[in-house]
Amino acid sequence: MTWQWIGLTIFSLTLLPAGLAIAAGRLPARLPARLRPPRAYGWAVLALYATAPLNAVPRLAGATPQVSLTLTAVAGIVAVAGCLLASLASLRRSGDGAR
């Protein structure tokens, strides 16, 4: 259980603020326009972050194995959706001439 707390803390301190900042479009002005990620990347990062609480919180709360398994499956679906969103944003970005 210690590793689940550690993982949840690390993901909350890194992916959550980064995903929220990118999704809101709040990036440093000194970052060149060609390196600025689109907001879809922020939503993809948030979807990938959501897998950590969906997987860890039920286990830490002592939920039944059926509930834990169901939420782990949901977390997998959310992770795949986040990866698809990131790849679609990457394809759209490469199609507009930006690198």
Side-chain angles (χ1 to χ4, degrees):
M1 272 220 247
T2 303
W3 288 107
Q4 289 175 340
W5 280 112
I6 292 169
L8 190 58
T9 302
I10 289 171
F11 281 120
S12 295
L13 291 175
T14 57
L15 290 179
L16 184 59
L20 289 173
I22 295 170
R26 299 184 59 114
L27 297 169
R30 65 182 180 270
L31 192 65
R34 63 183 172 81
L35 294 179
R36 289 178 170 250
R39 290 185 175 187
Y41 281 139
W43 290 108
V45 169
L46 289 175
L48 291 174
Y49 163 75
T51 60
L54 280 173
N55 192 11
V57 170
R59 297 173 196 278
L60 294 171
T64 64
Q66 292 84 9
V67 171
S68 294
L69 182 63
T70 302
L71 288 176
T72 299
V74 170
I77 292 168
V78 170
V80 168
C83 290
L84 288 174
L85 183 60
S87 64
L88 287 175
S90 177
L91 286 174
R92 179 177 294 162
R93 187 175 174 124
S94 66
D96 67 4
R99 288 197 171 232

